Amino acid sequence: MAFIDLRSDTVTLPTEEMRKAMANAEVGDDVYGEDPTINRLESLAAEIMGKEAAMFVPSGTMGNQVSVMTHTRRGDEVIMEAESHVYYYEVGAMAALSGVQARPVPGVRGVMNPEDVKRAIREPNIHYPKTTLVVLENTHNRGGGKVLPLENVKTISEIAHSNGINVHMDGARIFNAQVASGIPAKEYAQYADSIMFCLSKGLSAPVGSMVAGSKDFIERARKNRKMLGGGMRQAGILAAAGIIALTKMVDRLQEDHDHAKLLGEKLHEMGYGVNPEDVETNMVVVDVTVVGKDVHAMEKELKDRGILANANSNKTLRLVTHYGITAEDITKTIDAFNDILRQ
Ligand code: TLP
C-alpha cells in the first residue's frame, strides 16, 4: 500500500528538476571553498536572509549546534523556549558538544513572554553562569507550526541585545512563516544574529540546511562545522537541489497550509481536539483523547487505513502537510478519521 505520509515534511522527495540539476551540478572541493554550486547557494541564502554570509550544513541539527557552539563558551547558559527543537529533539547536543547549560522558558505554543526571557537572564554574580544566547524557533514545531509574531521576536531580540546577548533563530521552517504571515524571512532574520533554515523539509531538497549571519560569525562557524565533521567535499551535488528549493519551492507552501487548514477544520467538526485557528502553517496537532482514543492505538488505526502520522505527546498526533500531498490525500485522511470515529 502506498501510504499518505503525514509524519513530517522531512519525508518530501526531490523534484525532477532537482534531480536533473544535481546530475549536472558543477562541483569542487568545498572545504577549500572551491565548489561553485555551494558558493552560489551560500550567496543566495545570505541575500535572502539579509545577512553578510551563509554556510551550507548537512542538517538542521548541525546548523543549530554549530551556531550554539559559535555563539557560546563552555559553562555559558542559553535561553530557549521549553519545547523548542534545540532543547527537546537534539539529543542533548548543546550540553554534549558545546558544554553549555540550557535555561528553558515555557511559552504558549512556542511563544515566550519577553518578560520571562528578561527574568531568565543572569545577573553578574560569581555563582552564576553567563547568559550568552537566546534561541527562538520560527515556525515552532511543538507549538504546532506556530508563527512567532514579529513584534515578539523584535522585543525579545532587543532585550537580549541590550544585555549583550546574541540571538539565534531556528528557522527550520522560516519560509512557512513567511508564506503564512506575508512577512519576508529577512524581516524575522534582522532580529537574529544567526539564522538556521532547512532546505530539506517543505522545500523538498533531499539534504541540507543553511546558517546565515555576519561574515565574522560564518567564518568562525566554518571552523566549528569542520570540527563536527560537517566539512563536505563535492557537496554542490546537494546544493544544486537547494538552489531550486529556494528559488522554486517557497511560494507553493501555501498549498500545504491550505491542506492543513482544511484538515484542522474537518477534524474539529468531527469532535477531535483541534482548534482550526491554531493551524497557521503546515501542521495540525490533534488531541485524540477527547474522542476517547488512545494516541498510539490511533496511530495504528490510521496506518491500517493507509495514513502515517506520529504521536507527539501522550494525547496528540501531529499531521504535517507537504509537497507531494494532494487534495485527494487530504480527503482520504479526513475519511479515515471519520471512519475511525464511527467504528
Ligand atoms: N524536526 C523533525 C524532528 O527532528 C522532530 C521533524 O520531523 O519535524 N529545527 C526544527 C524546528 C525542526 O523541526 C527540525 C527537524 C530541526 C531543527 C532539525 O532538522 P534536521 O532533521 O535536518 O536535523
Side-chain angles (χ1 to χ4, degrees):
M1 184 187 334
F3 286 103
I4 296 170
D5 194 345
L6 302 173
R7 288 172 302 170
S8 183
D9 45 10
T10 58
V11 304
T12 47
L13 301 176
T15 64
E16 261 321 294
E17 191 182 358
M18 286 179 183
R19 286 181 183 273
K20 286 205 181 95
M22 291 170 81
N24 296 320
E26 215 189 319
V27 294
D29 190 329
D30 182 49
V31 172
Y32 291 102
E34 291 171 4
D35 187 304
T37 313
I38 289 274
N39 292 343
R40 211 146 48 86
L41 172 63
E42 291 184 343
S43 306
L44 178 65
E47 189 197 315
I48 290 172
M49 291 301 158
K51 300 290 184 200
E52 286 173 3
M55 171 178 79
F56 185 65
V57 284
S59 68
T61 302
M62 189 184 283
N64 280 338
Q65 294 304 326
V66 157
S67 301
V68 169
M69 187 176 273
T70 308
H71 282 300
T72 60
R73 297 177 63 176
R74 294 177 68 77
D76 285 353
E77 194 163 73
V78 178
I79 295 173
M80 77 289 296
E81 202 279 325
E83 302 266 324
S84 61
H85 196 278
V86 78
Y87 178 63
Y88 205 99
Y89 286 127
E90 297 189 10
V91 209
M94 280 195 309
L97 303 177
S98 298
V100 295
Q101 172 165 297
R103 181 75 180 267
V105 169
V108 178
R109 299 189 61 231
V111 184
M112 292 184 284
N113 182 331
E115 286 306 312
D116 293 340
V117 173
K118 198 188 257 175
R119 266 193 296 277
I121 295 171
R122 300 285 192 157
E123 306 268 317
N125 180 312
I126 183 83
H127 303 90
Y128 291 166
K130 192 171 178 204
T131 309
T132 48
L133 185 64
V134 174
V135 179
L136 298 173
E137 184 175 316
N138 194 19
T139 63
H140 197 288
N141 182 339
R142 293 190 59 78
K146 170 85 188 157
V147 179
L148 296 190
L150 190 64
E151 200 50 39
N152 178 266
V153 172
K154 178 171 185 268
T155 309
I156 292 176
S157 164
E158 282 168 1
I159 291 168
H161 289 154
S162 65
N163 285 279
I165 296 167
N166 283 323
V167 175
H168 170 70
M169 185 171 285
D170 174 349
R173 298 184 179 83
I174 192 67
F175 294 107
N176 293 89
Q178 169 176 308
V179 166
S181 65
I183 298 169
K186 67 160 75 161
E187 286 203 35
Y188 292 106
Q190 70 179 314
Y191 299 115
D193 301 279
S194 57
I195 179 163
M196 183 287 287
F197 62 96
C198 296
L199 306 167
S200 63
K201 300 201 163 52
L203 304 186
S204 264
V207 179
S209 294
M210 307 302 300
V211 177
S214 69
K215 206 160 159 278
D216 168 67
F217 175 83
I218 294 297
E219 236 164 66
R220 291 184 291 118
R222 275 191 204 284
K223 190 109 179 156
N224 287 329
R225 180 186 69 172
K226 191 76 185 77
M227 191 203 286
L228 295 174
M232 294 179 285
R233 303 296 179 175
Q234 286 72 34
I237 299 252
L238 304 174
I243 290 169
I244 291 167
L246 285 180
T247 52
K248 304 268 177 85
M249 301 298 284
V250 171
D251 292 341
R252 65 147 307 284
L253 291 172
Q254 183 62 49
E255 190 183 323
D256 304 340
H257 297 183
D258 294 343
H259 286 159
K261 194 76 171 173
L262 181 64
L263 262 182
E265 280 163 5
K266 294 292 176 195
L267 298 187
H268 170 77
E269 280 168 23
M270 285 178 221
Y272 286 98
V274 52
N275 178 358
E277 304 258 298
D278 289 346
V279 181
E280 295 182 24
T281 56
N282 67 329
M283 292 186 190
V284 188
V285 177
V286 195
D287 184 342
V288 297
T289 62
V290 300
V291 293
K293 288 282 175 189
D294 170 79
V295 75
H296 295 294
M298 188 78 191
E299 251 179 359
K300 176 154 185 329
E301 287 187 66
L302 282 169
K303 191 169 179 189
D304 292 343
R305 288 163 178 78
I307 319 285
L308 299 181
N310 277 340
N312 70 344
S313 78
N314 59 4
K315 287 184 170 182
T316 52
L317 280 180
R318 182 185 76 153
L319 310 171
V320 187
T321 55
H322 53 80
Y323 181 66
I325 294 293
T326 62
E328 198 192 337
D329 293 334
I330 298 298
T331 306
K332 282 187 187 157
T333 305
I334 292 164
D335 290 347
F337 272 92
N338 220 339
D339 191 44
I340 290 168
L341 267 194
R342 282 194 270 103
Q343 291 246 309

